[in-house]
Amino acid sequence: MPYENILVEKVEGGVGLIRLNRPKAMNALDSVLMSELVQALNEFEADREIGCIVITGSEKVFAAGADIKEMENATTVEMLTRDSISLWDKVAKINKPVIAAVSGVALGGGCELAMACDMIVASTSAKFGQPEINLGVIPGAGGTQRLTRAVGKALAMEMVLNNRWLEAQEAYQFGLVNRVVAPETYLDEALKLARDIAARAPVAVRLARESVNAAFELPLSEGIRLERRNFYFLFSTEDQKEGMNAFVNKRPAKWQGK
């Protein structure tokens, strides 16, 4: 389907690519853009040819935040009933791996969107921040929670309470991003990572992702129980038989996603 605020394409190697495309608004994440993003993610999730998804902006800006014009005069009841902020939650609930390719600023809702993805590849120009305190509010799309889990309490406090931004190398140092590369290669690097993941056993990738994410949600004993259940379940798949047979016979595996 045609979109107004995003560009969508299928890239060679089983990768779905979504580009945020509101250049005049610095890719501000209004409800229309976020609804389109979720729709595109759902379409890629249903596409058996797609094994991994990449979300990016432009080289100058990933996303400068949520669209303040939509919220400026809203009441508490309007914000509650509109609940457009829940669209960020849907990004994290997609069952295929999602990689954020970030160059330029990722602020407020933009930073929260990147953190809702499973991995972040950043260019050297990337900057991450949660400046909502300057507007008299706080992050509302997971910023206080995901940021704290990624960089720790002390740094998250400074970023949320006092508008500290992280440069790309700092974000890498504190564990917020996976790698930092040149602006001219950051998207290629993200796509390469996505292709590598897309080439792996699809059911195992899905359950591995579920298990890692559970480490942030469950007590250790419950997380290990989930991991064990997923491990045993994979022995009912054709890909497990294929993967182990290929290993024993020293040949490349041919995954079927079954």
Side-chain angles (χ1 to χ4, degrees):
M1 64 171 287
Y3 296 105
E4 295 180 9
N5 297 299
I6 61 173
L7 302 174
V8 178
E9 63 179 301
K10 294 171 68 171
V11 179
E12 182 181 358
V15 177
L17 175 61
I18 303 171
R19 298 177 188 264
L20 310 179
N21 189 41
R22 289 187 74 201
K24 293 182 180 180
M26 295 186 70
N27 289 341
L29 303 171
D30 66 358
S31 56
V32 176
L33 186 155
M34 287 301 298
S35 295
E36 290 183 350
L37 174 62
V38 170
Q39 177 63 34
L41 287 169
N42 286 332
E43 290 177 2
F44 279 143
E45 183 172 44
D47 189 337
R48 289 182 59 86
E49 294 181 357
I50 298 299
C52 192
I53 303 165
V54 173
I55 299 174
T56 193
S58 68
E59 186 176 317
K60 293 183 178 180
V61 57
F62 178 71
D67 196 323
I68 305 305
K69 293 179 181 179
E70 279 193 333
M71 299 182 285
E72 180 183 4
N73 297 310
T75 67
T76 299
V77 172
E78 287 171 342
M79 290 296 292
L80 180 65
T81 55
R82 189 187 304 164
D83 196 27
S84 58
I85 207 164
S86 66
L87 293 167
W88 274 256
D89 301 334
K90 295 179 180 180
V91 174
K93 292 177 180 177
I94 296 297
N95 287 317
K96 291 180 179 178
V98 182
I99 300 170
V102 178
S103 188
V105 294
L107 301 176
C111 185
E112 289 169 311
L113 174 58
M115 292 190 295
C117 299
D118 297 300
M119 289 163 276
I120 302 175
V121 173
S123 87
T124 52
S125 71
K127 295 179 177 63
F128 300 86
Q130 299 288 165
E132 289 88 347
I133 200 74
N134 292 340
L135 303 175
V137 293
I138 67 171
T144 64
Q145 302 303 300
R146 291 193 175 96
L147 185 63
T148 304
R149 284 165 168 77
V151 305
K153 176 185 174 182
L155 183 54
M157 282 288 191
E158 188 174 358
M159 293 177 70
V160 173
L161 273 62
N162 202 39
N163 190 28
R164 174 174 172 179
W165 293 13
L166 290 185
E167 303 282 343
Q169 287 295 340
E170 289 181 300
Y172 176 75
Q173 174 188 346
F174 288 108
L176 184 61
V177 308
N178 291 72
R179 61 196 67 173
V180 178
V181 295
E184 58 268 23
T185 61
Y186 82 100
L187 182 55
D188 289 338
E189 186 73 15
L191 292 172
K192 179 182 183 302
L193 177 59
R195 289 189 190 97
D196 289 345
I197 294 170
R200 302 190 184 279
V203 181
V205 166
R206 175 172 175 168
L207 295 185
R209 177 181 178 274
E210 178 188 47
S211 300
V212 171
N213 281 332
F216 294 96
E217 305 285 343
L218 300 174
L220 178 60
S221 60
E222 292 298 316
I224 289 176
R225 186 174 293 112
L226 173 67
E227 176 191 79
R228 197 72 39 83
R229 184 201 70 187
N230 286 344
F231 174 74
Y232 290 147
F233 174 82
L234 287 166
F235 280 77
S236 68
T237 66
E238 294 179 18
D239 280 349
Q240 174 268 325
K241 303 297 185 291
E242 166 65 11
M244 292 193 174
N245 182 268
F247 178 83
V248 169
N249 290 286
K250 297 180 173 58
R251 63 174 178 82
K254 298 179 179 179
W255 309 119
Q256 301 297 319
K258 299 178 181 179

